[in-house]
Amino acid sequence: MKLTKYLANLGYGSRRDVGRMLDDERVTRRDGIVLAEGDACAHDDILVDGEPLDPPPGAVVMLHKPIGYVCTTKDADRLVYELLPPRYRERSPIVAPVGRLDRDTSGLLLLTDDGQLNHRLTSPRTHLPKVYVVQLANDLRGDERELFASGTMMLESEPDPLAPAALEILDARHVRLTLTEGRYHQARRMFAATGNHVESLHRVRVGGLELGDLPSGMWRLLDAADVARLQATSSPSAP
Ligand code: URA
């Protein structure tokens, strides 16, 4: 791929913008040689304005999403993209959320420009476990663990029962809930169906990957070991 297109795809501007950057000798190799449009060069050897490039295609980002941010590219609310380097939103393909968290949900949100990985992680057939810490408005009524685990629980206006979900009771109003699906407002609707109300919802784990001590509003790139960990506990069902 030509350097102009490569850098444009990484969000450095339109092809015309990048062409100008090349003309202005802002794109160099690490040894200082100025690069031109047709030059072939390894990603890690390219500098723009003396700075290493953003991560190559296939980047996976973990964001600690705060409450109040939405996972879309346009909205009246604050966008998760405001918490990431602006170029990530300009990349082609865009660094897109892997599934979504509601505006009022906090915690581990993954984003990637790897469409195949995104599809694999969000496919209902992958059954990737997602763990939420939930604070409830009212005491549990007592049968939630059995109901959620049953595989027969129905949500209003949904044609299929929910897959079994694991509930670990921490105390009467605090639980850890493990979902393997990503239905709309699923955790909130499950508790609403039991007459309860979710006060706060925080995702702490996706697959084998923990949010850990990443501060709220901060992000980090995943390395190959993280991505392996992420997928470690997924168990694709037979086709
Ligand atoms: N369930 C919800 O209700 N909201 C989320 O953001 C995730 C799971």
Side-chain angles (χ1 to χ4, degrees), residues 100-102 105 132 179 183 185-189 201:
R100 287 191 179 177
L101 288 179
D102 304 339
T105 302
Y132 298 84
L179 302 179
R183 301 202 200 187
H185 287 189
Q186 184 170 341
R188 295 175 197 279
R189 289 165 71 209
L201 187 60

Side-chain angles (χ1 to χ4, degrees), residues 45-64:
D45 201 21
I46 303 173
L47 303 179
V48 172
D49 297 329
E51 296 291 329
L53 291 184
D54 291 344
V60 188
V61 173
M62 178 204 280
L63 172 70
H64 183 160

Side-chain angles (χ1 to χ4, degrees), residues 10 55-60 91-96 111-116 118:
L10 287 178
V60 188
R91 282 167 80 121
S92 175
I94 189 171
V95 176
L111 301 100
T112 183
D113 61 353
D114 181 338
Q116 280 186 348
N118 197 333

Side-chain angles (χ1 to χ4, degrees), residues 2-28 34-39 48-49:
K2 283 197 172 157
L3 194 52
T4 322
K5 186 167 188 316
Y6 189 67
L7 294 180
N9 285 354
L10 287 178
Y12 283 84
S14 65
R15 287 196 212 183
R16 179 181 292 197
D17 295 335
V18 174
R20 272 198 293 267
M21 288 165 61
L22 291 166
D23 292 346
D24 293 343
E25 304 191 347
R26 292 170 56 196
V27 186
T28 62
V34 172
L35 289 169
E37 181 170 347
D39 290 343
V48 172
D49 297 329

Side-chain angles (χ1 to χ4, degrees), residues 189-227:
R189 289 165 71 209
M190 287 170 75
F191 283 103
T194 69
N196 214 324
H197 175 75
V198 169
E199 293 261 272
S200 76
L201 187 60
H202 180 67
R203 186 155 74 187
V204 292
R205 186 157 74 81
V206 175
L209 191 72
E210 302 271 353
L211 178 62
D213 55 9
L214 186 67
S216 178
M218 303 301 279
W219 61 275
R220 72 174 177 86
L221 281 174
L222 299 192
D223 60 22
D226 289 321
V227 175

Side-chain angles (χ1 to χ4, degrees), residues 85-197:
R87 274 197 295 267
Y88 284 22
R89 188 175 167 185
E90 306 300 330
R91 282 167 80 121
S92 175
I94 189 171
V95 176
V98 177
R100 287 191 179 177
L101 288 179
D102 304 339
R103 189 173 66 86
D104 295 327
T105 302
S106 58
L108 198 174
L109 178 70
L110 296 167
L111 301 100
T112 183
D113 61 353
D114 181 338
Q116 280 186 348
L117 177 68
N118 197 333
H119 184 259
R120 209 162 51 242
L121 294 174
T122 50
S123 163
R125 287 171 41 197
T126 304
H127 304 300
L128 191 69
K130 288 153 291 233
V131 181
Y132 298 84
V133 172
V134 189
Q135 188 185 340
L136 298 163
N138 306 305
D139 287 0
L140 292 163
R141 65 185 192 192
D143 64 341
E144 290 88 346
R145 190 167 44 202
E146 289 67 33
L147 178 65
F148 292 179
S150 68
T152 58
M153 184 178 183
M154 300 292 295
L155 289 179
E156 214 177 293
S157 69
E158 298 245 353
D160 304 313
L162 295 176
L167 190 70
E168 184 192 345
I169 297 172
L170 305 175
D171 66 35
R173 293 191 184 184
H174 294 90
V175 298
R176 278 167 74 94
L177 175 66
T178 303
L179 302 179
T180 58
E181 306 174 282
R183 301 202 200 187
Y184 179 70
H185 287 189
Q186 184 170 341
R188 295 175 197 279
R189 289 165 71 209
M190 287 170 75
F191 283 103
T194 69
N196 214 324
H197 175 75

